[in-house]
């Protein structure tokens, strides 16, 4: 199995090396990078390229590692026992399979996405160490051991909101998705907006990188945001000259697609005010 990107996903050489190394080593691929750089989509495109189904586990701040294995619904069983339901005699009726269980029992190899692992409690990664290492876990209510029929390809994403434990990192193959350079970003744009005029794209990307590199910016616009911005530019049928920034505020056209908080909007307004003062 070799991943080389897809028609819908532009993968750099170092990213394809990371994916294929993870598959060869049979270790989880831990992918970090700015929000909006395609970490989650990578797992979906790996599944598509290799012709495999995908199981997605989207982690939240309240998610516990045990939920990925299974959950025992004791409340429903108690209620059914009070109602005299025959289902109560088989505890399996009250066990809900988690995403790891679904991936382990699949009839063929799957891609398992554990998305935004850094959102959860700091103990979350440690609680998964044994299951990801041994590819099995014990179900205490039934006494059975669930073993992976086929070792899944595991992609774990993180936005770097908190540090992950060393013991967990040791078990992963790591890759950081850097923000794409101009040429790579052009290729990405061409995938999503084929046929965009070269002059319009050059003007838009020049302005985008100027905005992104502005000192003091709280949240730099990402790949997904520039794609949204270009979609709006094309929908409005704007020409390169229409993208000229307002000298009173230095804000780009349709800036709401790029700037996501009032501090960054105010920053450009202050820069414009200072520029007028110097003028």
């Amino acid at each position: 199995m070799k991943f080389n990107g897809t028609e819908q996903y532009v993968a750099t050489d170092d990213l394809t090396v990371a994916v294929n190394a993870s598959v060869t080593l049979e270790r989880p691929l831990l992918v970090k990078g700015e929000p909006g750089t395609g970490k989650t989509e990578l797992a979906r495109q790996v599944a598509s390229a290799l012709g495999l189904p995908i199981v997605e586990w989207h982690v939240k701040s309240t998610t516990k590692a045990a939920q990925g294995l299974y959950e025992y619904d004791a409340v429903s069983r108690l209620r059914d026992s009070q109602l005299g339901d025959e289902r109560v005699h088989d505890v399996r009726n009250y066990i809900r399979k988690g995403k790891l269980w679904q991936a382990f029992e699949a009839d063929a190899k799957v891609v398992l996405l554990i998305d935004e692992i850094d959102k959860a409690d700091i103990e979350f990664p440690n609680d998964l160490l044994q299951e990801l290492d041994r590819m099995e876990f014990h179900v205490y209510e039934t006494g059975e051991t669930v073993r992976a029929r086929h070792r899944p390809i595991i992609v774990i994403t993180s936005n770097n909101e908190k540090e992950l434990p060393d013991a967990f990192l040791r078990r992963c193959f790591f890759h950081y998705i850097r923000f794409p350079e101009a040429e790579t970003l052009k290729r990405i744009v061409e995938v999503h907006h084929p046929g965009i005029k070269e002059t319009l794209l050059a003007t838009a990307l020049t302005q985008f990188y100027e905005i992104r590199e502005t000192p003091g910016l709280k949240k730099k616009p990402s790949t997904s945001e520039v794609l949204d911005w270009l979609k709006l530019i094309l929908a409005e049928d704007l020409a390169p000259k229409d993208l000229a920034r307002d000298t009173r505020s230095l804000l780009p056209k349709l800036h709401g697609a790029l700037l996501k908080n009032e501090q960054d909007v105010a920053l450009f307004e202050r820069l414009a005010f200072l520029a007028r003062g110097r003028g």
Side-chain angles (χ1 to χ4, degrees):
M1 289 186 173
K2 287 288 183 183
F3 174 72
N4 295 303
T6 68
E7 292 181 359
Q8 292 78 38
Y9 192 93
V10 176
T12 57
D13 291 342
D14 57 342
L15 179 55
T16 58
V17 167
V19 171
N20 292 320
S22 168
V23 172
T24 301
L25 292 173
E26 294 188 325
R27 289 191 177 274
L29 173 63
L30 174 60
V31 186
K32 291 187 178 182
E34 295 178 30
T37 50
K39 301 184 297 297
T40 302
E41 187 61 25
L42 170 65
R44 295 168 182 157
Q45 294 301 323
V46 168
S48 174
L50 301 182
L52 302 176
I54 185 168
V55 175
E56 300 189 15
W57 185 12
H58 300 283
V59 176
K60 301 178 181 179
S61 59
T62 56
T63 303
K64 302 298 181 185
Q67 293 173 305
L69 309 180
Y70 68 94
E71 292 182 272
Y72 170 51
D73 190 354
V75 174
S76 293
R77 193 180 189 195
L78 175 61
R79 183 194 62 222
D80 288 349
S81 69
Q82 293 169 339
L83 296 173
D85 194 319
E86 287 298 318
R87 296 173 71 250
V88 76
H89 299 298
D90 188 351
V91 69
R92 290 177 177 81
N93 292 323
Y94 303 93
I95 290 178
R96 299 173 183 169
K97 297 177 181 180
K99 298 297 184 179
L100 263 71
W101 192 330
Q102 294 173 29
F104 284 7
E105 74 172 1
D107 293 330
K109 184 183 284 289
V110 302
V111 173
L112 172 62
L113 167 64
I114 305 177
D115 196 30
E116 298 189 332
I117 195 172
D118 54 321
K119 277 187 177 180
D121 183 86
I122 190 61
E123 292 304 317
F124 182 95
N126 280 333
D127 291 343
L128 287 177
L129 289 180
Q130 179 171 312
E131 288 75 17
L132 295 182
D133 249 0
R134 299 175 60 185
M135 286 286 125
E136 66 178 39
F137 61 89
H138 187 69
V139 183
Y140 295 97
E141 289 76 9
T142 64
E144 66 181 308
T145 297
V146 177
R147 294 184 177 86
R149 297 179 184 175
H150 306 274
R151 193 177 188 98
I153 295 172
I154 302 173
V155 178
I156 303 172
T157 73
S158 169
N159 288 325
N160 234 2
E161 292 182 6
K162 62 170 68 84
E163 288 296 320
L164 298 173
D166 288 346
F168 180 80
L169 295 175
R170 184 176 64 80
R171 290 164 167 82
C172 298
F173 190 93
F174 172 75
H175 181 75
Y176 184 86
I177 297 183
R178 294 181 176 83
F179 191 81
E181 298 176 353
E183 284 305 313
T184 303
L185 190 54
K186 282 182 181 179
R187 290 168 55 203
I188 294 171
V189 170
E190 187 62 36
V191 167
H192 292 269
H193 304 297
I196 187 170
K197 293 180 180 177
E198 183 65 33
T199 52
L200 178 63
L201 179 58
T203 302
L205 290 188
T206 298
Q207 190 175 129
F208 170 74
Y209 276 105
E210 288 174 355
I211 293 165
R212 183 177 159 80
E213 292 163 12
T214 301
L217 208 59
K218 184 177 181 181
K219 185 197 177 303
K220 294 182 178 182
S222 66
T223 310
S224 64
E225 287 153 345
V226 73
L227 292 174
D228 287 345
W229 187 49
L230 287 168
K231 184 176 181 178
L232 290 173
I233 289 171
L234 292 171
E236 295 291 328
D237 197 22
L238 300 180
K241 61 182 178 60
D242 298 323
L243 298 183
R245 285 199 265 178
D246 186 341
T247 55
R248 294 170 297 178
S249 66
L250 291 182
L251 288 169
K253 288 283 191 300
L254 305 163
H255 66 269
L258 297 176
L259 305 177
K260 300 298 184 178
N261 58 69
E262 64 276 16
Q263 294 97 319
D264 288 343
V265 172
L267 171 64
F268 282 97
E269 292 172 340
R270 286 198 304 274
L271 291 173
F273 177 78
L274 293 172
R276 289 199 299 274
R278 289 194 296 270

